Amino acid sequence: MIGQKQLIRHFYENPPAFEKQTVHVSGWVRTVRDSRTFGFIELHDGSCFQNVQIVFGDQLGNFREITKLTIGSSLNVTGTLVPTPDAKQPFEIQASDIDIVSPASQENPIQKKRHSFEFLRTIAHLRPRTNTFNAVFRVRSILAYAIHKFFNERGFVYVHTPIITSVDAEGAGEMFQVTTLDPDKIKPPADYARELLGRKTFLTVSGQLPVEAFCMGFRNVYTFGPTFRAENSNTPRHASEFWMIEPEIAFADLEDDMKLAEDMMKFIFTHVLENAPDEMQFFDRFIEPGVIERLEKVIRSDFAAVTYTEAVGLLEKAGKDFEYPAAWGENLQTEHERYLSEEVFQKPVFVIDYPETIKAFYMYLNEDGKTVRAMDLLVPGVGEIIGGSQREDRFDLLLERMKKDGMSETVYDWYVDVRRFGSFPHAGFGLGFERALMYITGMKNIRDVIPYPRTPNQAAF
RNA sequence: UCCGGAGUAGCUCAAUGGUAGAGCGGGUGGCUGUUAACCACUAGGCUGGGGGUUCGAGUCCCUCCUCCGGAGCCA
């Protein structure tokens, strides 16, 4: 029986091939509606976003049991696929046999009604059974593939940089400590030489530094993996564990970097629109009206770009009553970024050439001596989605900058080596995978695009 | 972490300091083409925890916890 099953996806891909045919499907009940002598089941089989309607009549021996099926119950169904040109759905299956594999408890918290995302987060293990999360996580999978496809087609080498690292903070944020020492048993100060790994270690906040070294051997490389930040951030766009894509390109400057970022964004948007049409239509209808058109517009048009200095000028003469007025040398506030991306440009916009004082030590110093070749990509609704830079490849300047920031040369000696033994201009960026997913789906909270989100106070499941 | 808001039935929410309610979901029954199905009946509550004021607290006060939104950190 199991070997003969067909997938609902195949019916939708080519309905005529199955019309009037006997089909076997297996799946889970989404809803049941019944009358005295017949009824309907919406069956979901996981192979695609869409369900298939099963029609059942009282000629079936287990008709009564079928009418009492609860949401989530699993079934094997045999029947005839018939077109239904006058109905909502293009076809349905008229059942000749329905085998109840396992009824679901009537206490199933997933009900035949709208649930709030907040509630569904508390049952993250049951969320995948809902329309929204089915769509979100299929698109997540498709998006991950699109990213690999983009880089693979361009000859990039995928590098697995370490999850556990001893490189303490490079400015990216607070780190989770990883230890084999039992905190309940050790007396301070801890003897980190007794760690299994022989030193104090953390979960990575970025794969950038280690991947830069691989750039030297493979020219164009990227990482794509989990990243951890121990910040006590409580916002819809921050998580303690998230995934990041970090390409690094050799013999390249900031303009090449921006071009790569723009090409990549357009590629992945296109790929998702082409490969998840049903899911995207769902988002467009129920999550964020207009999201498809927004993505299509972005694919057709060029991203905007302004220097930080120009951006501050725009903000100063905006005539807007910002809570914090923009000032050169200060970080752009979220309200500033929103104004730029949502009101001035109304599309993705690069802000480049930030003051050296507010950016990381490894960024290339401009000739003005005040700004660095950094870029942030801001998108409407999500904010900063990419942060990147051309790297400081001049040995002396890098050392000088590290000294100024009070950084340990011994911890970073291997990083400095990359410049010492044949330096070259290179650049890269970090794309927040979940932020890209939010932008594509219109989902408003990062907790709702991560299967089991980790945020302050939340590590269940 | 700071600021603001919210915790009441399985879910979403009502309820002048005076007997705790509705819709949906669940259960039972009805209905010959439903698709947010419909109609009738029905069960369901330590009002987030602790303390206080009061004859009386879901409601007022203190405190803690949790969640949501805004800010910061950033992707």
Side-chain angles (χ1 to χ4, degrees):
Chain A
M1 188 66 185
I2 281 178
Q4 302 171 349
K5 295 282 159 47
Q6 284 143 330
L7 298 177
I8 294 173
R9 172 163 52 93
H10 297 145
F11 302 155
Y12 280 98
E13 282 168 357
N14 187 12
F18 297 94
E19 273 174 23
K20 306 274 169 54
Q21 305 288 309
T22 298
V23 294
H24 307 280
V25 293
S26 56
W28 302 274
V29 171
R30 278 293 171 79
T31 168
V32 180
R33 297 176 290 272
D34 67 276
S35 290
R36 172 193 279 279
T37 57
F38 67 98
F40 306 92
I41 300 169
E42 290 283 329
L43 193 76
H44 180 79
D45 81 344
S47 68
C48 63
F49 183 70
Q50 284 158 299
N51 303 322
V52 71
Q53 174 163 283
I54 311 289
V55 189
F56 62 97
D58 61 358
Q59 82 283 2
L60 298 181
N62 54 356
F63 177 76
R64 287 293 296 169
E65 289 104 284
I66 296 167
T67 63
K68 294 189 186 311
L69 280 171
T70 46
I71 294 185
S73 299
S74 42
L75 309 177
N76 289 320
V77 178
T78 301
T80 309
L81 191 129
V82 297
T84 51
D86 297 328
K88 267 190 179 181
Q89 70 285 349
F91 50 80
E92 66 189 14
I93 294 172
Q94 288 178 349
S96 55
D97 183 72
I98 294 181
D99 165 35
I100 300 172
V101 178
S102 171
S105 162
Q106 65 196 36
E107 282 158 32
N108 187 353
I110 303 286
Q111 302 171 351
K112 190 161 57 182
K113 70 188 286 289
R114 230 189 127 76
H115 289 295
S116 66
F117 291 147
E118 288 86 349
F119 171 66
L120 291 170
R121 269 172 227 153
T122 69
I123 48 169
H125 58 308
L126 301 175
R127 292 198 292 187
R129 305 175 183 210
T130 64
N131 284 335
T132 298
F133 290 96
N134 198 269
V136 164
F137 293 121
R138 191 183 306 278
V139 168
R140 186 176 168 116
S141 171
I142 288 168
L143 180 63
Y145 177 73
I147 284 160
H148 284 301
K149 187 163 189 271
F150 173 81
F151 286 117
N152 189 54
E153 284 177 0
R154 283 157 187 75
F156 281 62
V157 168
Y158 176 32
V159 180
H160 295 132
T161 52
I163 308 297
I164 301 175
T165 177
S166 58
V167 181
D168 188 356
E170 39 99 349
E174 291 297 310
M175 303 178 89
F176 286 98
Q177 192 178 341
V178 177
T179 184
T180 54
L181 304 175
D182 186 342
D184 293 330
K185 289 181 185 157
I186 57 172
K187 287 198 270 291
D191 179 9
Y192 290 111
R194 289 181 52 238
E195 287 279 14
L196 182 73
L197 297 180
R199 61 168 80 184
K200 195 171 182 179
T201 51
F202 308 90
L203 293 177
T204 183
V205 291
S206 165
Q208 180 201 317
L209 268 41
V211 88
E212 275 190 48
F214 272 70
C215 179
M216 200 174 186
F218 295 97
R219 191 177 191 99
N220 295 330
V221 294
Y222 71 106
T223 72
F224 184 3
T227 310
F228 307 87
R229 303 275 167 91
E231 303 289 343
N232 190 8
S233 297
N234 290 285
T235 84
R237 58 190 187 284
H238 290 87
S240 304
E241 176 180 324
F242 62 98
W243 283 56
M244 190 155 62
I245 295 96
E246 295 174 289
E248 193 72 27
I249 48 177
F251 301 101
D253 59 17
L254 190 69
E255 280 66 33
D256 297 316
D257 203 30
M258 292 159 65
K259 175 78 164 53
L260 179 70
E262 181 167 346
D263 287 350
M264 179 194 66
M265 295 300 276
K266 289 177 175 175
F267 181 94
I268 63 180
F269 293 169
T270 305
H271 184 89
V272 170
L273 286 171
E274 285 174 356
N275 290 277
D278 295 334
E279 286 82 357
M280 288 309 301
Q281 262 173 36
F282 174 83
F283 294 130
D284 201 64
R285 199 164 155 210
F286 294 108
I287 304 295
E288 182 169 347
V291 67
I292 291 176
E293 171 61 24
R294 183 178 75 184
L295 292 175
E296 285 172 343
K297 228 172 90 185
V298 166
I299 292 165
R300 286 195 303 268
S301 64
D302 292 331
F303 289 13
V306 284
T307 66
Y308 168 90
T309 304
E310 289 165 348
V312 170
L314 285 170
L315 292 161
E316 279 170 349
K317 61 175 189 230
K320 298 278 286 188
D321 189 20
F322 293 120
E323 193 181 344
Y324 297 96
W328 203 97
E330 299 292 318
N331 269 309
L332 295 180
Q333 301 287 313
T334 296
E335 57 180 342
H336 302 149
E337 296 182 344
R338 292 186 65 118
Y339 173 74
L340 291 171
S341 64
E342 292 171 16
E343 293 186 47
V344 180
F345 296 101
Q346 297 180 13
K347 60 180 176 181
V349 53
F350 289 109
V351 180
I352 65 170
D353 292 338
Y354 282 82
E356 170 252 341
T357 47
I358 58 172
K359 285 291 180 181
F361 74 96
Y362 51 72
M363 296 184 179
Y364 189 97
L365 189 66
N366 275 313
E367 279 181 19
D368 61 14
K370 294 189 304 188
T371 60
V372 291
R373 300 245 75 193
M375 60 103 156
D376 285 355
L377 181 64
L378 313 176
V379 299
V382 176
E384 185 178 342
I385 201 167
I386 281 177
S389 68
Q390 182 177 334
R391 317 308 189 188
E392 183 56 82
D393 58 286
R394 295 162 295 186
F395 185 74
D396 295 342
L397 284 176
L398 182 68
L399 277 190
E400 203 177 295
R401 187 75 192 283
M402 287 173 67
K403 204 168 289 175
K404 206 160 98 188
D405 288 6
M407 297 174 61
S408 158
E409 277 180 51
T410 49
V411 173
Y412 290 94
D413 57 350
W414 65 271
Y415 182 68
V416 175
D417 268 358
V418 178
R419 274 73 171 168
R420 185 180 284 133
F421 304 119
S423 197
F424 56 102
H426 59 294
F429 62 81
L431 166 70
F433 181 62
E434 285 82 5
R435 289 189 181 172
L437 188 54
M438 289 166 72
Y439 186 67
I440 289 168
T441 59
M443 294 295 286
K444 300 291 185 295
N445 196 307
I446 197 166
R447 299 169 181 99
D448 297 327
V449 297
I450 298 177
Y452 300 100
R454 274 76 179 91
T455 52
N457 250 315
Q458 184 53 267
F461 310 106

